[in-house]
Amino acid sequence: MYKYRASKDTGSKSWVMQRITGLALVVLMIGHYILMHYHPDSGHTYQAVLGRMQYSWYRIIDLTFIVLGMYHGLNGIWNIFRDYKMKPWLKYSVISALVIFGVAFTAWGFNIVFSIPYIN
Amino acid sequence: MRGNYRRSPLKLESETKSQSTYKDIKTFDQKNWISENLGYKKDSGNWAWIFHRITGIALIAYLFLHIYSLSPLTKGEAAFNAKMAQFSSPFFMVIEWFLFAFVIFHSLNGIRIVIVDWADGAKYHKQLYRLSWVLGIILFLAMGALMFSHELKKLF
């Protein structure tokens, strides 16, 4: 007997997550842009970065920003791929590539944030 | 002509050819029916969709680039300041300003999408699209003023 095998995942959770992370990113991104550009030095000197990174809450915001941005961005790329009909091997290759790139760059970003020392 | 949909130039060429030879015969074009009748219309929020996609791809590409360009932070002050000196030129400041145009379009259109998916929001999607352009241009100019105010003060 023929049985139609397909994913039960309609993508609704991904849809909701895309909305939630998107709205969070709007707030974070506007704040980030103003903070980085209200003064030419604020985003472009080591001292300014070091000064901000003395606050752990600021590090937490930055790490959240990386994770949310990566998730939202790569989920968006995956949604573009989902508009096309893909052979299973291509589908899994694309997902794997996105996950590997996402995890690698997120880890790199975390590494950069944690490498900045606390001055006591 | 079925409606006033735009077609791709390739199809338009073949259409005009067949129209000139079989002028009065109306045939059911099964092969192209879907693309001609159910294709995306370029006037109902489709530009918003295209721009949202382009800006989205550009922004995720920039996020990768951003993590790469901040990586000298691991090597200490001298390496980071040397890298940032490259990005402090007027050329890169203008690039950053135009990056903000991408950010603000994607943000405002993203909010528009959330509203359109909400209860009755779909009724207002065209007004919201126009509003997002107006707000976006205002915020783009405001960000330009914020970014370049220090440079302008130096000049005057």
Side-chain angles (χ1 to χ4, degrees), chain A residues 59-109:
Chain A
R59 287 176 189 243
I60 292 165
I61 287 175
D62 265 10
L63 297 177
T64 315
F65 204 3
I66 296 173
V67 172
L68 289 182
M70 271 296 169
Y71 173 79
H72 187 91
L74 293 178
N75 200 21
I77 297 290
W78 173 234
N79 285 341
I80 294 172
F81 276 103
R82 261 173 52 130
D83 279 357
Y84 302 94
K85 203 173 168 185
M86 285 177 288
K87 294 269 188 295
W89 67 266
L90 184 62
K91 195 162 91 176
Y92 292 117
S93 310
V94 169
I95 292 178
S96 312
L98 292 179
V99 169
I100 289 166
F101 266 94
V103 170
F105 272 76
T106 307
W108 196 6

Side-chain angles (χ1 to χ4, degrees), chain B residues 71-84:
Chain B
S71 60
L73 275 170
T74 53
K75 292 170 197 155
E77 186 167 358
F80 182 71
N81 284 346
K83 188 85 181 171
M84 283 301 115

Side-chain angles (χ1 to χ4, degrees), chain A residues 15 19 23 26 29-30 32-34 37-40 43-47 49 69-70 73-74 77 79-80 83 101 105 108-109 112 115-116, chain B residues 49 53 57 60 63-64 66-68 70-71 73-74 76-77 80-81 84 87-88 96 99-100 103-104 107 111 113-114 117 143 146-147 150:
Chain A
W15 179 84
R19 264 58 181 168
L23 290 174
V26 170
M29 188 64 93
I30 304 291
H32 182 70
Y33 237 93
I34 292 170
H37 292 291
Y38 75 95
H39 192 271
H44 294 96
T45 60
Y46 188 78
Q47 285 304 318
V49 178
M70 271 296 169
L74 293 178
I77 297 290
N79 285 341
I80 294 172
D83 279 357
F101 266 94
F105 272 76
W108 196 6
I112 293 166
S115 74
I116 302 163
Chain B
W49 179 82
R53 194 150 274 202
I57 294 167
I60 185 64
L63 180 57
F64 285 120
H66 199 42
I67 291 173
Y68 159 73
L70 290 180
S71 60
L73 275 170
T74 53
E77 186 167 358
F80 182 71
N81 284 346
M84 283 301 115
F87 299 127
S88 300
E96 278 177 325
L99 179 72
F100 185 72
V103 168
I104 204 68
S107 300
I111 294 168
I113 290 169
V114 172
D117 286 348
M143 182 50 73
L146 182 78
M147 283 174 75
H150 308 282

Side-chain angles (χ1 to χ4, degrees), chain B residues 97-109:
Chain B
W97 187 31
F98 279 91
L99 179 72
F100 185 72
F102 278 58
V103 168
I104 204 68
F105 182 86
H106 202 84
S107 300
L108 291 173
N109 196 47

Side-chain angles (χ1 to χ4, degrees), chain B residues 19-144:
Chain B
Q19 270 173 6
S20 61
T21 43
Y22 306 105
K23 218 172 186 180
D24 299 313
I25 304 166
K26 210 174 182 182
T27 50
F28 178 66
D29 189 2
Q30 191 184 22
K31 208 174 177 184
N32 297 320
W33 190 87
I34 289 173
S35 63
E36 283 174 9
N37 292 280
L38 299 178
Y40 289 116
K41 296 176 212 168
K42 294 278 191 294
D43 57 348
S44 60
N46 194 244
W47 282 114
W49 179 82
I50 290 167
F51 288 139
H52 202 73
R53 194 150 274 202
I54 293 168
T55 52
I57 294 167
L59 290 173
I60 185 64
Y62 181 75
L63 180 57
F64 285 120
L65 194 69
H66 199 42
I67 291 173
Y68 159 73
S69 68
L70 290 180
S71 60
L73 275 170
T74 53
K75 292 170 197 155
E77 186 167 358
F80 182 71
N81 284 346
K83 188 85 181 171
M84 283 301 115
Q86 292 173 17
F87 299 127
S88 300
S89 65
F91 173 74
F92 272 101
M93 283 185 79
V94 172
I95 294 282
E96 278 177 325
W97 187 31
F98 279 91
L99 179 72
F100 185 72
F102 278 58
V103 168
I104 204 68
F105 182 86
H106 202 84
S107 300
L108 291 173
N109 196 47
I111 294 168
R112 172 183 162 275
I113 290 169
V114 172
I115 296 169
V116 166
D117 286 348
W118 215 264
D120 267 354
K123 287 179 185 170
Y124 312 107
H125 77 102
K126 285 188 182 180
Q127 287 95 317
L128 286 166
Y129 181 60
R130 282 182 224 122
L131 183 68
S132 67
W133 269 102
V134 172
L135 271 177
I137 288 167
I138 292 168
L139 289 169
F140 177 64
L141 294 174
M143 182 50 73

